[in-house]
Amino acid sequence: QKEVEQDPGPLSVPEGAIVSLNCTYSNSAFQYFMWYRQYSRKGPELLMYTYSSGNKEDGRFTAQVDKSSKYISLFIRDSQPSDSATYLCAMTVSQGAQKLVFGQGTRLTINP
Amino acid sequence: EPEVTQTPSHQVTQMGQEVILRCVPISNHLYFYWYRQILGQKVEFLVSFYNNEISEKSEIFDDQFSVERPDGSNFTLKIRSTKLEDSAMYFCASMSVASKFFGPGTRLTVL
């Protein structure tokens, strides 16, 4: 079983739709969870950072963590064409110098 | 807004040649990293660097790779003898406490 699994998509939705992106993981030692957005041929850009189980909201973005199910989600409300990108989940065991383990990334297209 | 910068944006080299990829992390950050992403694949961890030494490295980071922080601002990745399979995007990242910020990447093409 892969450490972090993420459906690569592609996922295509109309503008204004609610988007749900998900990752599952197998390593119960993961404690910190991140979502990155990556535009084509660019570096990953940090969107959300969470630690505890539950929801964290930032504008149109909500990150959800369920440690008991080893499942994390990112919801995008009122999606815009500018949200079209690849979304990467990433996680790590602890803060500090610990490496991030990334999912495959989900390629998202928002159609005007 | 402070950002991580990387040079060059694209490097083409012949197999067996040495390359040095350069990064300028965010100035007050303490942790530095290199990741790579082969086209169509996951972003993979290579190495982390803290307090002027390697703190963790992956299986990919073999003896052909080395990192250095030659002065107070630059952070470099050297590949001594490049192979075709080293062709990838190489991302530098830096972190202060919790959030890791990535640079735009260097596309390395080995011919």
Side-chain angles (χ1 to χ4, degrees):
Chain A
Q1 185 182 10
K2 292 181 184 176
E3 256 191 314
V4 180
E5 300 213 43
Q6 183 178 9
D7 185 343
L11 180 62
S12 182
V13 301
E15 183 176 354
I18 296 174
V19 176
S20 171
L21 304 167
N22 312 294
C23 286
T24 59
Y25 61 96
S26 59
N27 186 352
S28 57
F30 287 137
Q31 296 294 325
Y32 297 83
F33 306 91
M34 282 130 275
W35 284 95
Y36 284 85
R37 177 173 61 195
Q38 186 177 27
Y39 292 112
S40 182
R41 297 177 184 261
K42 301 291 185 186
E45 171 196 4
L46 182 65
L47 277 179
M48 301 283 287
Y49 174 91
T50 58
Y51 167 68
S52 54
S53 282
N55 294 347
K56 180 178 180 180
E57 191 172 317
D58 184 1
R60 296 185 294 111
F61 298 91
T62 299
Q64 189 176 77
V65 174
D66 182 345
K67 289 186 180 179
S68 63
S69 301
K70 299 192 186 69
Y71 188 88
I72 68 170
S73 299
L74 177 72
F75 298 96
I76 308 174
R77 288 186 301 282
D78 188 25
S79 54
Q80 305 292 312
S82 58
D83 295 328
S84 299
T86 296
Y87 288 80
L88 310 168
C89 64
M91 45 200 80
T92 185
V93 171
S94 67
Q95 294 185 24
Q98 286 288 336
K99 67 180 184 183
L100 288 179
V101 180
F102 281 86
Q104 177 75 25
T106 299
R107 190 168 177 182
L108 173 67
T109 301
I110 309 297
N111 300 304
Chain B
E1 188 174 321
E3 58 183 15
V4 177
T5 59
Q6 290 185 243
T7 55
S9 57
H10 190 189
Q11 174 88 49
V12 181
T13 190
Q14 295 290 325
M15 189 170 56
Q17 295 297 303
E18 174 183 287
V19 295
I20 297 177
L21 309 182
R22 302 180 193 280
C23 168
V24 179
I26 295 172
S27 63
N28 61 345
H29 285 188
L30 303 176
Y31 302 91
F32 312 109
Y33 309 81
W34 286 100
Y35 287 76
R36 80 171 186 189
Q37 186 176 30
I38 295 171
L39 188 63
Q41 296 188 25
K42 288 186 180 187
V43 176
E44 301 174 285
F45 170 78
L46 290 179
V47 65
S48 59
F49 192 85
Y50 171 70
N51 202 24
N52 283 319
E53 61 182 24
I54 290 174
S55 49
E56 187 177 1
K57 59 183 180 180
S58 72
E59 293 172 355
I60 304 166
F61 195 88
D62 61 22
D63 292 344
Q64 294 301 312
F65 291 86
S66 62
V67 290
E68 196 175 37
R69 189 157 161 80
D71 53 41
S73 58
N74 290 286
F75 180 51
T76 62
L77 174 70
K78 182 193 289 187
I79 309 174
R80 260 180 277 282
S81 178
T82 49
K83 307 185 195 69
L84 295 176
E85 55 264 36
D86 293 328
S87 294
M89 282 290 286
Y90 287 81
F91 295 108
C92 173
S94 70
M95 186 176 82
S96 58
V97 175
S99 300
K100 196 172 287 183
F101 294 89
F102 285 78
T106 292
R107 175 171 300 282
L108 176 64
T109 302
V110 182
L111 302 175

